[in-house]
């Protein structure tokens, strides 16, 4: 149950209860890949995050150790149940530039200023769910996700999503987050519609490496990429892209909670690339307009690479050489001009199905011309889900 | 003086360290920078001890202590307990307690004289706290939160509490604790005060996201600036200038 607490934090208790069931489903597969979750010792990390369960939730959870094994098992079909339900509302989610009627059904939680009352009501709910695990897995929760421009209030949410962006290197992460949030014309954060707390589920943006080349965070990021690149033939191309060609390169940052419904991905990426093309026309100065004329996109991401060296003849799924954590990475990888992978220093959580795989970092350069192809392929890939 | 630092890109200092007037506990791992910052500030005064509790690094949230004693959860291993007993000064009583709510750092906030505790703590634990830490124990909530250890940080000279604490609560707590209190934030608007900072009577450590405003509030409420010559001069200046001619 340590994992329950692992990622989210909330500012106000009452609001947290509303989302309790949403992220109870989330957390089951949170540790599957742990891209934004740090180790389980963060259980009692009371660091700020918009979706943290309230103090009451946390203590209530500590009283029920029997819930622990359930959370440790990955339960992807719980996710797909959620996804199925969200698919119903996915078509009505609000794009930033459109309006729609929210259909958010709030779980009715009695809001009372009396702590004891809240605690008891929580106990009852948890009690029933404990006895009926099956029901909880099939429970449908409706949620409306909305896309917003980044703003400075999103600092903590975005920071947590980007916590492991450069593995365990100490760098100016806060500066990088500030940079991402300052760029309001290009960039999107995904939050719940009507959410009182600032629970952030995803952040997507494109950062021009030349425009920000004097920022410490960008210099450290470039240094890190050059350091981890072990393949000699690629490192010269990487050096070129980070050096002379930097003003034509956009760093594509896309981080999200592990089980965000994939139906959100095509619109999310469409939003990003549309914003880039709008910015080329709408930005006030010539310099800014040019800074969005990307020729290349640089993507830094993570994959699972098979640790088995043998050329497996068996057709078992776990003999696939690469497992992509994010589905769009597969398309990027296919369309990339070049790419390289590098070992990560942080320990990965050992999961049964992934015992033959090692978490690896992957850097890819994708030409901007390939983006329309990417958008089409992403659309068809997600529609298969 | 308040110092800003990070633990492995994480600004939650109070999670990975525990600072009292007699000793300082620091989590293992991360770069040596974390440990050496504490050493640089504290080495001549008190021992800085590297440890884990129950194999985890979140030691600040699992243990509670002051200059008289240190309370550890039941998850602490024997080796860790022994290591702590050896490293911490002898006059400090190190005790492992059997409490269901094992995150003692979240449940107990204390200085050398008073402790605020979670409302659901066992009676035996409350007595142990009074014995081992030599404090008067009060069951309290802070801005409606029962995890008092998380939402406030106080020393013998001042305290910082959750930003949504009402004025009445602030007065009540201030009377109980007998120290001036201020409602504020740390780490750029984080309400979880004790996770973002750790403090004793003469120094404080905050996460590096802490803004200059937050830092100045911390320095003034915990009276960390008193030793600085500037403060004295500024305070005196008002009384020195009598009249303008």
């Amino acid at each position: 149950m340590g994992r329950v607490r692992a990622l989210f934090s909330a500012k106000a208790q009452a609001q947290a209860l509303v989302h309790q069931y949403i992220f109870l489903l989330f957390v089951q597969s949170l540790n599957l890949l742990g891209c934004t979750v740090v180790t389980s010792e963060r259980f009692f990390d009371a660091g700020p995050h918009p979706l943290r369960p309230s103090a009451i939730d946390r203590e209530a959870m500590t009283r029920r150790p029997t819930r622990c094994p359930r959370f440790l098992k990955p339960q992807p079909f719980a996710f797909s149940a959620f996804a199925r339900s969200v698919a119903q509302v996915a078509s009505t989610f609000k794009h930033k530039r459109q309006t729609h009627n929210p259909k958010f059904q709030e779980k009715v939680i009695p809001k009372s200023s009396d702590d004891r009352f809240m605690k008891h009501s929580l106990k009852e709910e948890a009690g029933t769910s404990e006895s009926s695990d099956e029901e909880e897995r099939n429970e449908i929760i409706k949620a409306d996700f909305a896309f917003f421009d980044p703003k400075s209030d999103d600092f903590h949410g975005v920071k947590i999503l980007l916590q492991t962006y450069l593995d365990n290197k100490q760098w100016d992460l806060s500066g990088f987050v500030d940079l991402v949030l300052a760029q309001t014309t290009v960039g999107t954060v995904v939050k719940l519609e009507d959410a009182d707390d600032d629970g952030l589920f995803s952040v997507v943006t494109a950062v021009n490496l030349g425009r920000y080349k004097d920022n410490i965070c960008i210099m450290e990021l470039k240094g890190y990429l050059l350091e981890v690149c072990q393949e000699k033939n690629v490192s010269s191309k990487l050096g070129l892209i980070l050096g002379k060609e930097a003003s034509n390169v956009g760093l594509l940052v896309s981080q999200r909670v592990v089980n965000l419904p994939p139906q959100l991905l095509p619109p999310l990426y469409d939003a990003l690339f549309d914003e880039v093309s709008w910015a080329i026309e709408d930005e006030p100065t010539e310099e800014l307009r040019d800074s969005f004329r990307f020729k290349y996109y640089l993507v830094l991401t993570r994959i699972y690479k098979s640790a088995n060296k043998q050329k497996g003849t068996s057709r078992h799924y776990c003999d696939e050489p690469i497992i992509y954590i994010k589905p769009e990475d597969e398309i990027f990888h296919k369309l990339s001009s070049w790419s390289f992978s590098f070992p990560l220093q942080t320990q990965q959580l050992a999961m049964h199905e992934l015992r033959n795989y090692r978490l690896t970092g992957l850097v890819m350069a994708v030409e901007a011309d390939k983006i329309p192809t990417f958008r089409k392929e992403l659309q068809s890939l997600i529609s298969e889900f | 003086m308040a110092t800003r630092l990070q633990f492995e890109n994480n600004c939650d200092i109070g999670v990975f360290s525990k600072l009292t007037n007699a000793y300082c506990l620091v989590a293992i791992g991360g770069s040596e920078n974390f440990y050496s910052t504490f050493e640089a500030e504290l080495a001549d005064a008190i021992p800085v001890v590297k440890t884990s509790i129950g194999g985890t690094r979140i030691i600040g949230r699992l243990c509670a202590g002051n200059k008289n004693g240190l309370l550890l959860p039941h998850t602490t291993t024997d080796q860790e307990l022994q290591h702590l007993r050896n490293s911490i000064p002898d006059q400090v009583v190190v005790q492992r307690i059997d409490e269901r709510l094992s995150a003692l750092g979240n449940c107990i906030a204390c200085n050398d004289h008073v402790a605020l505790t979670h409302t659901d703590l066992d009676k035996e634990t409350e007595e142990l706290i009074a014995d081992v830490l030599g404090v008067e124990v009060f069951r309290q909530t802070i801005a409606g939160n029962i995890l008092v250890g998380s939402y406030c940080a106080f020393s013998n000279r001042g305290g910082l509490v959750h930003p949504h604490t009402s004025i009445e609560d602030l007065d009540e707590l201030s009377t109980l604790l007998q120290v001036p209190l201020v409602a504020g934030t740390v780490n750029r608007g984080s309400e979880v005060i004790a996770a973002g900072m750790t403090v004793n009577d003469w120094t404080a450590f905050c996460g590096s996201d802490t803004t200059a405003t937050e830092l100045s509030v911390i320095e003034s409420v915990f009276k960390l600036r008193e030793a600085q010559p500037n403060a004295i001069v500024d305070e005196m200046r008002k009384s020195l200038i009598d009249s303008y001619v």
Side-chain angles (χ1 to χ4, degrees), chain A residues 3 15 72 104 131 138 143 146 196-197 215 236-237 251 272 278 297 323 330 354 359:
Chain A
R3 316 304 171 98
Q15 299 137 8
L72 286 174
F104 187 43
S131 55
N138 295 330
D196 298 327
D197 61 10
N215 290 51
S236 54
K237 294 185 200 161
L251 179 72
L272 178 71
W278 290 326
Y297 286 100
I323 291 182
E330 190 168 5
L354 294 171
L359 192 62

Side-chain angles (χ1 to χ4, degrees), chain A residues 20 25 27 65 194 202 222 257 260 266 296 327 342 344 368 375:
Chain A
Q20 179 200 357
L25 286 180
V27 298
D194 305 337
S202 173
K222 287 182 183 173
V257 295
L260 192 73
Y296 293 98
F342 57 93
L344 292 174
R375 287 164 80 161

